[in-house]
């Protein structure tokens, strides 16, 4: 039995074909991919490397838009396919349409945006992924993501607990945005950052009530909740005339710089800074001394949002090379375009086995390097599955700020 | 400047290079936007992202060279040698 | 339009491959219907399979094929689905056998200098692993970052550096293949899987090279291990006319410099096309109308000597060396410069997103200038009738393995504004394909150097090109695939089953 779409055409019993606004926004990038056929995205995609399934390739994510426009597929057919993505950005960066001509035409592939849009469309149509839906509801209720499990509340009032004993003021011109995962799940990270910033002479405070940056809400299709988070955070910043926000977690940084400006016409008041850039600069300028040797042989994991999405790969290496006693075996950042921890866009919340396998392979790559028994990352989300997989094979996983704080003589 | 400032992301005014190409950011060429008005429209790409694309391209190309050989010989150097030998 | 596959068949497939590797959902079917070649998206549903399996062993592949024979269901093998002749496009529904999960490196044998892999592995990823041992697998088509070893055998692929290292058929030593009736055999040069040259029995490896999945499904391959080169040299020369460029291209190819890997000739249309964004890199002098590029690999000492020989030819040619930045950067970007949809232009110069059709032929060197004229005339004819076709110019590449002085992989790249397809333009396109192929044959060449020739239009001329060989093709097909289940409908091989 045929049903009609918003545009009034019969769809052979398939409901929920794409509305014209969606197509207007995404048809061109979809055709740009579909018309090219390069598929260079696939072998750099961490999900494709594991699953080898064409349904979950960046290619399919674009082809589906065309197929849906022509009535061959509906959102019911593909919603679950779009879960299988960490939004690492390898595909849209490696794609020749970006890498070779994206700048010339001011037109690049935007696979991440397409996946976000499709996930949001699915949610709008009432198609939810069970765990993501629960995750969104709890984030909305508590103000922060349920990073400690479904029953341990992660409220805005508890988000500063990691800073106990550090006497950090509230608000001020510069604020440290500590991130839900780091604050609740891996507090040694924000503690390390706080101590390092102090040692560099940077004055900063913490938000009164830090809420989730909203990133995972945008990523999993719960856009209204994302907006709520963003608006709350900006009100909080303005309460104390905050001008600069320091982000240790690249997920927060990229969420804020991409998603917040369209929500606020005065966003230019704020300067958003990556902690890793700040610390590297301080070392370069002699404002931070790393005097305690760390006798380890380590390699570095380029977090996807830092390397592929933002192009930041030099600062962390500068920091690691400044740590005395450290033997640092590097793998270049372009090779790492095809590396990932599998944690991005909350993939692990819906598909824990997939994230686990992606992380297992990342750890295995580190193990191949001579003498390496430590993997340093610069993203708390990646450190969750990497630490778990590392434990199984004797590979320690550090956050870059943890190891740098150690080199600065701090005990965290 | 270390961090992200929204106002620093707007591309500067364009300088024309030829009848279909102009330039805004240093060393970055762009198509005349009037050629992308009918069938496909340009996107808003902040300056940091434009630089990321250009930098990544050269980094990828060097990676591709290294993937196939340890080093690349310079034609200009070899031509200079040929001239000397002549 | 394929009907739904019987539940009983699905049950049997699940029993063979496991539930997690059998798919009948729409997105699984629609996303395995096409390859990068221009695709009639308006008839997408005519090209989907009825079921998809992702086997993990030769045994599973064999059992699926036996089941297909028993039930008379077509089988379509699919590796990367990155070919350009529709080899992996289902024409009659059926069971699509997707080999991508079979992507393991099974053995690296340093003594015999071989690596044995599954057909689902990509060459770039393989080379990344081999680098740790100081090796590379230099089967280097434009699709190097995405095509898979199984497909390279299926199409008998060509490599940009084949003049030095050989093409797929030279780099693949032997492979395991599941025949259309389900037997698993090994083919190579003779018996031992690591023997490179034999005269024992029929040379079966060459029969299956380029079969486009019509004679079986590859389940394992043993490949050459090549030492990772110490040095690379590439040079680009610009000419103010095509004929001087063509002559220089020939001279370089005949130079007999041992480290030479390939020579590429860009005609005037191609240079004009690349100018659509070349300005993004380094603005080119207007006098650059045609270009010749050459690349070489080896130890630094032998390469310096070889490179100087090539440069001396270039300097004496009347062409201008284009500088290191272009000579190196453009060579390193050789995989990425082809299928750029944004380079499509309407008649009034507006950007339109176009897909890329690459017509490839093997053309003897002396015929290149004439073929170029005729092909561009065909493209112009299309463009005149339909704005949706755009001439993106021609390349000619040295085609011989180890001996670059023979014929040339000659390609014309046509941009196609695919969202404008209709029946009239599609028919005109298919006619043009036939005409392009006819020109190749008339000039003593082959319809295809490396893509294969089973697309609509060009396939009609395969019997003409093969002559008596086409009868042999039919006989072999009939014998090996008595029930016509292995990728049926390709290469006009249905004719093998017609009663005399």
């Amino acid at each position: 039995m045929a049903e009609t779409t918003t545009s009034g055409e019969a769809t052979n019993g398939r409901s929920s074909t794409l509305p014209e606004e969606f197509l207007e926004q995404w048809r061109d990038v979809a055709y740009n991919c579909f018309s090219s056929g390069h598929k260079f995205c696939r072998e750099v995609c961490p999900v494709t490397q594991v699953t080898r399934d064409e349904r979950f390739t960046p290619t399919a994510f674009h082809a589906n838009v065309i197929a849906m426009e022509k009535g061959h597929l509906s959102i019911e057919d593909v919603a679950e396919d779009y879960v299988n993505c960490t939004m690492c950005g390898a595909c849209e960066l490696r794609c020749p349409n970006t890498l070779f001509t994206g700048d010339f035409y001011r037109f690049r592939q935007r696979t991440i945006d397409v996946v976000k849009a499709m996930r949001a469309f699915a949610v709008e149509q009432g198609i939810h992924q069970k765990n993501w839906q629960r995750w969104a509801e709890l984030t909305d209720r508590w103000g922060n993501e349920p990073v400690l499990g479904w029953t341990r509340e992660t409220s805005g009032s508890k988000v500063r607990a990691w800073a106990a004993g550090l006497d950090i003021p509230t608000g001020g011109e510069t604020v440290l945005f500590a991130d839900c995962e780091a604050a609740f799940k891996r507090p040694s990270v924000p503690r390390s950052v706080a101590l390092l910033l102090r040692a560099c002479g940077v004055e900063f405070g913490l938000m009164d009530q830090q809420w989730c940056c909203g990133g995972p809400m945008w990523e999993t299709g719960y856009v209204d909740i994302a907006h709520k988070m963003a608006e709350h955070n900006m009100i909080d910043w303005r309460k104390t005339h905050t001008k600069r926000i320091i982000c240790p977690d690249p997920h927060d940084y990229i969420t804020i710089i991409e998603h917040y400006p369209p929500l606020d016409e005065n966003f230019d008041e704020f300067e958003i800074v990556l902690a890793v850039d700040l610390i590297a600069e301080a070392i370069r300028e002699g404002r931070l001394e790393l005097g305690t040797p760390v006798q380890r042989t380590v390699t570095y994991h380029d977090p996807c949002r830092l390397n592929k999405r933002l192009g930041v790969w030099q600062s962390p290496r500068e920091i690691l090379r400044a740590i005395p006693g450290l033997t640092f075996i590097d793998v270049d950042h372009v090779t790492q375009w095809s590396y990932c921890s599998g944690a991005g866009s909350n993939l692990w919340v819906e598909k824990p086995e997939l994230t686990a396998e992606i992380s297992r392979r990342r750890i295995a790559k580190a193990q191949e390097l001579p003498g390496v028994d430590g993997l340093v990352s610069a993203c708390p989300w990646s450190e969750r599955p990497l630490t778990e997989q590392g434990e199984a094979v004797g590979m320690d996983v550090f956050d870059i700020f943890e190891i740098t704080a150690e080199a600065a003589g701090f005990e965290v | 400047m270390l961090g992200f400032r929204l106002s620093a992301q707007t591309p500067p005014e364009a300088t024309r290079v030829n009848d279909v190409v102009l330039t805004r950011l240093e060393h970055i060429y762009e198509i005349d936007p009037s050629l992308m008005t009918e069938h496909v429209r340009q996107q808003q790409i902040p300056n940091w992202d434009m630089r990321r694309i250009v930098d990544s391209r050269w980094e990828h190309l060097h990676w591709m060279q290294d993937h196939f050989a340890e080093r690349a010989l310079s034609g200009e150097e070899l031509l200079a040698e040929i001239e000397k030998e002549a | 339009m394929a009907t739904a596959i019987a539940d009983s068949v699905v049950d049997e497939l699940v029993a063979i491959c496991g539930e997690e590797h059998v798919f009948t959902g729409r997105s699984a079917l629609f996303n395995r219907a096409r390859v990068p070649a221009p695709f009639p998206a308006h008839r997408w549903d005519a090209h989907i399979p009825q079921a998809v399996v992702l086997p993990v062993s030769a045994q599973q592949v064999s059992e699926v094929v036996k089941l297909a024979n028993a039930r008379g269901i077509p089988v379509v093998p699919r590796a990367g689905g990155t070919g350009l002749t529709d080899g992996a496009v289902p024409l009659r529904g059926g069971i699509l056998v997707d080999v991508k999960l079979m992507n393991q490196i099974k053995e690296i044998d340093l003594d015999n200098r071989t690596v044995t892999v599954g057909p689902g592995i990509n060459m770039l990823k393989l080379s990344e692993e081999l680098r740790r041992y100081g090796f590379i697998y230099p089967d280097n088509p434009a699709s190097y970052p995405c095509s898979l070893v199984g497909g390279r055998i299926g199409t008998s692929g060509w490599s940009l550096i084949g003049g030095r290292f050989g093409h797929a058929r030279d780099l693949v030593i032997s492979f395991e293949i599941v025949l259309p009736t389900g037997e698993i055999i090994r083919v190579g040069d003779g018996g031992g899987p690591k023997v490179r040259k034999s005269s024992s029995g029929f040379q079966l490896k060459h029969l299956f090279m380029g079969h486009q999945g019509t004679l079986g499904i590859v389940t394992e391959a043993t490949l050459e291990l090549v030492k990772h080169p110490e040095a690379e040299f590439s040079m680009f020369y610009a000419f103010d006319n095509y004929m001087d460029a063509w002559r220089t291209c020939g001279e370089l190819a005949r130079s007999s410099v041992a480290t030479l890997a390939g020579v590429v000739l860009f005609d005037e249309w191609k240079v004009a096309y690349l100018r659509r964004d070349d300005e993004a890199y380094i603005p080119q002098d207007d006098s650059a109308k045609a270009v010749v590029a050459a690349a070489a690999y080896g130890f630094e000492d032998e390469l310096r000597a070889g490179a100087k020989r090539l440069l001396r030819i270039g300097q004496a040619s009347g062409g201008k060396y284009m500088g290191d930045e272009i000579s190196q950067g453009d060579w390193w970007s050789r995989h990425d410069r082809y299928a750029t949809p944004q380079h499509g232009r309407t008649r009034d110069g507006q950007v339109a997103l176009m897909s890329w059709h690459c017509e490839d032929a093997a053309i003897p060197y002396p015929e290149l200038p004439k073929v170029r004229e005729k092909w561009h005339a065909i493209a112009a004819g299309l463009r005149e009738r339909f704005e949706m076709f755009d001439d993106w110019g021609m390349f000619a590449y040295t085609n011989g393995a180890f001996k670059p002085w023979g014929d040339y992989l000659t390609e014309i790249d046509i941009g196609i504004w695919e969202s404008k397809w209709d029946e009239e333009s599609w028919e005109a396109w298919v006619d043009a394909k036939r005409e392009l192929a006819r020109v190749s044959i008339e000039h003593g060449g082959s319809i295809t150097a490396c893509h294969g020739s089973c697309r609509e239009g060009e396939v009609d001329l395969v019997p003409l090109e093969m002559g008596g060989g086409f009868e042999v093709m039919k006989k072999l097909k009939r014998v090996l695939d008595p029930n016509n289940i292995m990728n049926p409908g390709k290469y006009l091989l249905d004719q093998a089953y017609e009663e005399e």
Side-chain angles (χ1 to χ4, degrees), chain B residues 17-18 20-21 27-40 57-58 60-79 81-83 85, chain C residues 124 127-128 131 136 140 144 228-233 279-281 283 297 300 303-304 307-308 311-312 315 321 323-325 328-329 332-336 345-346 348-351 417:
Chain B
V17 171
N18 66 30
V20 292
V21 172
H27 300 311
I28 300 180
Y29 295 95
E30 300 182 34
I31 196 171
D32 184 336
S34 70
L35 297 179
M36 287 181 75
T37 50
E38 278 180 50
H39 311 294
V40 50
R57 177 164 60 243
W58 278 108
H60 159 80
L61 289 177
H62 286 290
W63 184 93
M64 191 55 80
Q65 178 271 301
D66 178 77
H67 182 81
F68 281 91
E70 278 165 53
R71 62 198 90 113
L73 301 186
S74 155
E76 283 164 22
E77 252 182 58
L78 293 168
L79 281 171
E81 273 180 39
I82 290 173
E83 272 233 8
E85 288 160 14
Chain C
L124 186 150
S127 291
E128 279 187 305
R131 183 68 183 275
I136 190 175
N140 185 223
Y144 179 74
H228 187 255
E230 191 176 73
E232 168 190 83
F233 172 69
E279 316 291 19
Y281 310 121
Y297 291 86
E300 187 169 342
L303 194 57
R304 294 183 81 87
K308 280 157 111 172
L311 284 164
R312 284 196 193 96
Q315 292 302 95
Y321 180 63
D324 282 357
E325 203 177 341
Q328 293 175 340
W332 301 336
S333 54
R334 62 191 177 278
H335 314 106
D336 290 86
R345 297 287 187 274
T346 59
D348 59 359
Q350 281 281 318
V351 171
W417 198 356

Side-chain angles (χ1 to χ4, degrees), chain A residues 43 52, chain C residues 79-80 82 100 119-123 146-152:
Chain A
E43 298 292 339
R52 309 301 283 163
Chain C
T82 56
K100 292 192 202 47
I121 195 168
N122 158 254
M123 293 86 71
C146 66
S147 54
L148 309 183
V149 164
R152 299 296 290 158

Side-chain angles (χ1 to χ4, degrees), chain A residues 99 106 110 272 308 333, chain B residues 4 30 43 52 57 59:
Chain A
L99 199 58
R106 273 194 189 268
R110 321 193 72 100
I272 319 296
K308 303 173 216 186
H333 72 288
Chain B
F4 170 94
E30 300 182 34
Q43 298 162 357
R52 176 185 72 108
R57 177 164 60 243
E59 288 156 23

Side-chain angles (χ1 to χ4, degrees), chain C residues 306-378:
Chain C
K308 280 157 111 172
R309 283 185 176 269
L310 299 171
L311 284 164
R312 284 196 193 96
I313 293 172
Q315 292 302 95
S317 70
K320 214 165 57 159
Y321 180 63
M322 293 174 81
D324 282 357
E325 203 177 341
I326 291 242
S327 294
Q328 293 175 340
D330 273 30
W331 178 248
W332 301 336
S333 54
R334 62 191 177 278
H335 314 106
D336 290 86
R337 306 294 296 285
Y338 291 81
T340 310
Q342 299 108 314
H343 284 358
R345 297 287 187 274
T346 59
R347 288 198 199 100
D348 59 359
Q350 281 281 318
V351 171
L353 302 177
M354 294 191 179
S355 79
W356 163 69
H357 176 72
C358 172
E359 178 72 30
D360 81 308
I363 304 291
Y365 173 74
E367 312 297 316
L368 289 176
K370 258 270 122 52
V371 168
R372 156 181 145 276
E373 280 172 28
K374 291 183 181 176
W375 276 12
H376 282 302
I378 293 167

Side-chain angles (χ1 to χ4, degrees), chain C residues 218-231:
Chain C
V218 172
T219 49
E220 184 187 276
T222 298
L223 316 170
E224 293 282 0
L225 275 182
V226 174
K227 185 190 175 312
H228 187 255
E230 191 176 73

Side-chain angles (χ1 to χ4, degrees), chain C residues 57-117:
Chain C
S57 71
Q59 202 51 46
Q60 286 183 354
V61 173
S62 167
E63 286 174 43
V64 169
V65 169
K66 285 182 176 143
L67 168 67
N69 269 283
R71 306 293 197 96
I73 302 172
V75 169
V76 182
R78 183 177 179 94
T82 56
L84 294 167
T85 200
D86 290 353
V89 175
L91 295 180
R92 297 190 188 147
I95 301 165
L96 187 141
V97 177
D98 184 331
V99 300
K100 292 192 202 47
L101 274 176
M102 298 170 72
N103 67 336
Q104 294 72 30
I105 297 174
K106 300 187 182 186
E107 179 199 72
I108 296 177
D109 181 349
L110 299 178
D111 294 322
N112 277 299
R113 293 285 272 249
T114 66
V115 55
T116 299
V117 299

